[in-house]
Amino acid sequence: MNNVNPKPAATTPQQPLLTIEDLSLSFETSQKGVVLEALQKVALVVNASQTVCIVGESGCGKSLTSLAIMGLTPTNALKPTGTVWFQTKDNKRVELLSLPERELRKLRGREIAMIFQDPMTSLNPAFTVEFQLCEAIQTHSNVKLSKTQLREKAIAALDAVGIPAPADRLKAYPFQLSGGMSQRVMIAIALAGDPKILIADEPTTALDVTIQAQILTLLKNLQTSRKMGLILITHDLGVVAEMADFVNVMYAGQIVESGSAADVLHNPRHPYTQALLNSLPALQMTKTNERRLESIPGVVPHLAARPSGCQFHPRCLYKTTVCVAGHPALKAISNDHAARCFKTEGKL
Amino acid sequence: MFSFVIKRMLMILPTLFGVSVIAFGLIRLVPGDPVLMMIGERGASPEAYAQMKANLGLDKPILVQYGKFVSHAIQLDFGTSIISRRPVIEEFTSRFPATLELGLFSSFFAILIGIPVGILAAIRRNTWVDYSVMGASLIGYSMPIFWWGLILILFFSIHLGITPVSGRIAMEYDIPSVTGFLLIDTWLIPGAAFAEKWQAFVSSVRHLALPTIALGTIPLATIARMTRSSMLEVLGEDYIRTAKAKGLSRPRIVWIHALKNALVPVVTIIGLILGSIVTGAILTETLFSWPGIGKWLIQSVTSRDYPVIQAGILITSVMIIFVNMLVDLAYAWVNPRMRIKT
């Protein structure tokens, strides 16, 4: 990666939108002085128009990473450490973790927006779609908009996320909407501030399979037309194959493998990634087929009971004595493909 | 919303029927002969007895009696008080504004302080603010009205001497009744100068202060605790995270997004509390010699003034039913699920 003739930073137009380095996050416990490390030196980069997936089982720290970017970590968490550099719309580079809450709030929704796993509980049940959408539009508008202006913009926003008869939907309360419809409203709200990055935290997990595909297509289209960076958090490798440009596989608070979608999906170099891929059912699978659907034995270790050495070794098929004792580093395999495994060099 | 209001109003009818049966049955359930009891201990001649029985309408079949009772009650005719010999409704209307004034002020006191204090405790969770609010409300909640009222009198009236011990207004004022609310009527004294009106107003406020606190403390503590726990629950909901992710300000999240949801259980509690204020008013009025219906009802019970007791049961029940309906309507406002079919 050593550029022979590096351009000066000011003139490079293609700086990443978001650069996370060494992001760590711990939780305080009831025991004094004992902290549990939920994120360990997470690093990832998001460029404009790029879809970056974060993959892993529940409890791996995928959502925490995204909440740390937003400055919305749970109240019982300690302040995250590391750096999160972000390129704002007016081309300023800001470090999000050290930004005061007041400044950070201005970025939320306007620069970085987020949608969540369960759209049915993520919309406020006591207010209409119109209230919640117009509120977002007004918050991110520099001028005071009239009621009719807000309404027009709201209808346009609902139309843009593919909601039929948007004018009628405005009066609806969230409990009158289906899950897919709610997620579309959530997307409309998230995009009201025209953000540069959209974080989608398992946006389709709570939805029917057919609706999932619709929502993913919608996200893809919106991303392309708006040149947004998209951070897609998922545990579904099918979604990754469909959407990702770049993939980060997380396990127990660490990134264990990262690389382009093609590299990670077709040439997985970490046993965990491989195991995830093997536990993906394929339509062609039959009884006589050579491959059985596998599952990964065991569960993600609890925060308070993280194993020694490589975090994955208790569940790993390839573990050796070195895995129990030493901590593997994220080692580069090729240009942007890296894996955290002692056996990375050898063939898995 | 409109059809919900109509539906809710129709639901009042069966309750009213039940209440009327109880009020009607009461006089017939007392041990002994009501006629004898009304004539007096010493008894009377058979003619006088029959006369009294006819006067009370007790010689007719029970259904006819009930029908008469209901038709009179609808016309607000509750008969004549045995003690004062004046129509019950007249006695009632002259006393009711005092109770209403006390009840309203205690409710405002409890709601307007309880909800903000509960929210404050919730957003300052596990700080000294939270601990002191919760501690104070626990004490307030456990305080019996009669005892708490006495403590208030001892401290503010006897020790500090800043509030009067009893009554609605100082003796020297004779306020003509227009609305029945002294806080308003003091401003309507005909031909009085501003200074005089102001003094009369201040006097009525000082008289109202202690009874309001005595009656409002338990509701205040209940509302504060309920608001706090409901608010804490709501602040952990997904949609609050959404509101934060939208870039909304903290006050807007707390006072608009969280509060409307947190109010759902609080409104239910307020409905129950408003009912208890009516019973609490009876104690408070006795304690502070407040000339309202509570004190009047206590007197009528001790002197077995049946027409008054009947009217009291009927009217206070109707009031509570009505208040509950208002609470249900407020509930439908904060909780759209109540009024909209999915």
Side-chain angles (χ1 to χ4, degrees):
Chain A
M1 286 280 275
N2 278 334
N3 227 328
V4 187
N5 188 12
K7 289 175 192 167
T11 54
T12 41
Q14 277 308 318
Q15 257 191 336
L17 280 179
L18 187 80
T19 312
I20 302 180
E21 275 163 5
D22 288 342
L23 176 67
S24 297
L25 182 71
S26 300
F27 283 88
E28 226 168 7
T29 56
S30 48
Q31 269 174 288
K32 234 190 159 67
V34 179
V35 292
L36 303 173
E37 212 172 16
L39 294 179
Q40 288 175 29
K41 298 198 181 280
V42 171
L44 62 90
V45 171
V46 183
N47 291 306
S49 303
Q50 190 186 32
T51 301
V52 174
C53 280
I54 306 179
V55 196
E57 286 166 279
S58 306
C60 283
K62 299 169 302 197
S63 297
L64 269 183
T65 306
S66 59
L67 289 173
I69 300 171
M70 298 290 286
L72 293 176
T73 45
T75 43
N76 56 338
L78 298 169
K79 205 177 150 29
T81 58
T83 53
V84 179
W85 286 102
F86 178 71
Q87 191 85 15
T88 64
K89 282 178 190 166
D90 41 9
N91 258 332
K92 265 189 275 177
R93 239 167 106 75
V94 289
E95 203 284 295
L96 298 179
L97 296 184
S98 59
L99 218 56
E101 168 66 21
R102 197 159 27 85
E103 297 294 316
L104 199 54
R105 197 207 307 148
K106 287 184 197 153
L107 300 183
R108 287 187 199 131
R110 190 181 281 228
E111 300 274 1
I112 308 174
M114 189 163 178
I115 59 172
F116 300 96
Q117 182 169 346
D118 189 351
M120 307 292 263
T121 59
S122 294
L123 288 167
N124 194 323
F127 295 97
T128 58
V129 168
E130 181 170 16
F131 180 92
Q132 299 185 54
L133 182 53
C134 289
E135 177 185 49
I137 295 169
Q138 180 60 70
T139 305
H140 303 303
S141 161
N142 294 321
V143 289
K144 177 91 187 93
L145 297 165
S146 74
K147 241 188 138 145
T148 29
Q149 281 173 314
L150 278 175
R151 236 185 102 80
E152 275 165 26
K153 279 178 186 280
I155 291 172
L158 288 186
D159 196 43
V161 294
I163 289 180
D168 300 335
R169 288 290 168 202
L170 280 182
K171 283 183 224 78
Y173 282 91
F175 61 88
Q176 295 171 294
L177 302 175
S178 66
M181 221 37 111
S182 301
Q183 194 60 292
R184 284 173 196 269
V185 171
M186 279 297 290
I187 295 171
I189 289 173
L191 297 183
D194 197 19
K196 293 179 75 178
I197 289 187
L198 178 66
I199 303 174
D201 186 355
E202 306 209 20
T204 57
T205 306
L207 304 176
D208 291 345
V209 182
T210 48
I211 309 294
Q212 279 185 18
Q214 290 177 13
I215 296 289
L216 290 175
T217 313
L218 173 69
L219 283 174
K220 194 85 204 161
N221 292 341
L222 288 168
Q223 181 203 18
T224 317
S225 62
R226 288 164 177 257
K227 299 191 169 47
M228 267 187 321
L230 177 64
I231 300 179
L232 184 62
I233 295 170
T234 179
H235 58 248
D236 185 344
L237 285 168
V239 171
V240 176
E242 194 87 9
M243 303 282 289
D245 297 314
F246 199 86
V247 183
N248 293 284
V249 182
M250 282 190 84
Y251 186 79
Q254 294 177 322
I255 289 185
V256 293
E257 180 161 2
S258 66
S260 69
D263 280 344
V264 173
L265 294 176
H266 298 124
N267 183 21
R269 299 306 286 269
H270 193 282
Y272 180 57
T273 317
Q274 202 191 38
L276 281 179
L277 284 165
N278 286 343
S279 50
L280 204 63
L283 272 183
Q284 299 91 331
M285 253 190 213
T286 57
K287 264 187 208 160
T288 53
N289 214 335
E290 68 282 0
R291 195 164 79 86
R292 256 179 68 101
L293 183 60
E294 286 173 27
S295 66
I296 309 175
V299 289
V300 180
H302 186 262
L303 261 187
R306 289 274 158 94
S308 66
C310 172
Q311 298 290 303
F312 188 59
H313 87 256
R315 303 170 74 186
C316 185
L317 295 172
Y318 307 98
K319 73 166 176 234
T320 56
T321 43
V322 64
C323 305
V324 182
H327 293 266
L330 200 60
K331 242 183 280 172
I333 294 153
S334 64
N335 230 355
D336 54 2
H337 190 188
R340 192 184 291 277
C341 181
F342 288 118
K343 305 196 72 179
T344 292
E345 265 104 311
K347 248 211 153 11
L348 284 178
Chain B
M1 187 74 188
F2 181 72
S3 69
F4 176 80
V5 174
I6 299 291
K7 243 186 263 165
R8 185 60 189 79
M9 284 170 124
L10 287 176
M11 279 164 62
I12 288 182
L13 294 175
T15 326
L16 280 179
F17 172 72
V19 166
S20 70
V21 168
I22 291 171
F24 171 76
L26 176 86
I27 200 164
R28 281 140 194 98
L29 289 174
V30 265
D33 187 342
V35 180
L36 266 184
M37 221 169 275
M38 289 203 177
I39 291 175
E41 302 286 317
R42 263 180 253 158
S45 64
E47 294 78 37
Y49 181 88
Q51 179 67 39
M52 188 62 167
K53 196 165 183 174
N55 278 352
L56 289 169
L58 293 177
D59 53 344
K60 306 225 167 50
I62 194 117
L63 276 178
V64 175
Q65 289 180 33
Y66 175 73
K68 244 188 166 162
F69 169 75
V70 170
S71 76
H72 282 167
I74 289 171
Q75 297 165 48
L76 298 178
D77 174 8
F78 298 102
T80 313
S81 162
I82 294 171
I83 305 297
S84 72
R85 305 270 169 212
R86 286 173 59 203
V88 171
I89 190 67
E90 223 173 77
E91 297 247 303
F92 173 81
T93 44
S94 73
R95 286 178 167 88
F96 182 61
T99 299
L100 191 59
E101 194 173 46
L102 178 60
L104 279 178
F105 268 78
S106 303
S107 312
F108 288 151
F109 172 76
I111 293 168
L112 295 183
I113 298 178
I115 289 178
V117 155
I119 293 172
L120 199 69
I123 58 181
R124 297 263 181 280
R125 187 188 191 179
N126 293 339
T127 64
W128 65 269
V129 178
D130 183 21
Y131 295 142
S132 29
V133 166
M134 284 304 98
S137 75
L138 186 65
I139 296 171
Y141 185 73
S142 338
M143 207 85 82
I145 291 182
F146 60 88
W147 188 73
W148 176 227
L150 283 177
I151 299 278
L152 287 172
I153 291 176
L154 268 178
F155 186 72
F156 288 101
S157 308
I158 316 267
H159 185 68
L160 294 180
I162 52 173
T163 52
V165 178
S166 65
R168 287 183 82 189
I169 197 157
M171 296 289 256
E172 66 259 36
Y173 297 104
D174 182 23
I175 313 289
S177 176
V178 183
T179 60
F181 294 103
L182 277 184
L183 293 184
I184 299 170
D185 283 352
T186 46
W187 294 103
L188 304 173
I189 306 169
F194 175 80
E196 194 186 333
K197 288 177 177 173
W198 171 248
Q199 275 177 351
F201 175 74
V202 169
S203 172
S204 69
V205 169
R206 286 174 56 213
H207 279 80
L208 187 58
L210 290 194
T212 299
I213 296 173
L215 182 54
T217 298
I218 293 177
L220 166 66
T222 317
I223 291 172
R225 295 184 79 84
M226 193 67 210
T227 306
R228 175 184 179 271
S229 66
S230 163
M231 196 72 185
L232 280 179
E233 198 184 314
V234 167
L235 284 175
E237 293 283 350
D238 285 352
Y239 50 82
I240 296 300
R241 191 180 54 189
T242 307
K244 287 180 188 162
K246 266 163 133 178
L248 301 180
S249 69
R250 178 95 185 139
R252 190 172 170 90
I253 293 170
V254 171
W255 294 93
I256 294 177
H257 281 258
L259 183 58
K260 196 171 172 193
N261 287 285
L263 278 182
V264 173
V266 176
V267 166
T268 314
I269 287 289
I270 288 177
L272 297 174
I273 282 172
L274 292 182
S276 77
I277 276 192
V278 175
T279 47
I282 295 176
L283 274 172
T284 315
E285 289 180 2
T286 312
L287 193 62
F288 289 91
S289 303
W290 191 262
I293 56 163
K295 197 161 160 261
W296 173 58
L297 284 178
I298 291 278
Q299 282 164 356
S300 65
V301 169
T302 48
S303 54
R304 300 196 172 189
D305 194 343
Y306 289 107
V308 173
I309 300 173
Q310 254 182 346
I313 292 173
L314 207 56
I315 294 169
T316 48
S317 309
V318 167
M319 263 165 24
I320 292 177
I321 290 169
F322 190 70
V323 164
N324 275 333
M325 187 192 76
L326 290 183
V327 167
D328 275 4
L329 296 183
Y331 188 77
W333 175 72
V334 292
N335 186 1
R337 256 170 251 241
M338 286 286 296
R339 63 187 133 97
I340 297 170
K341 273 181 250 142
T342 39

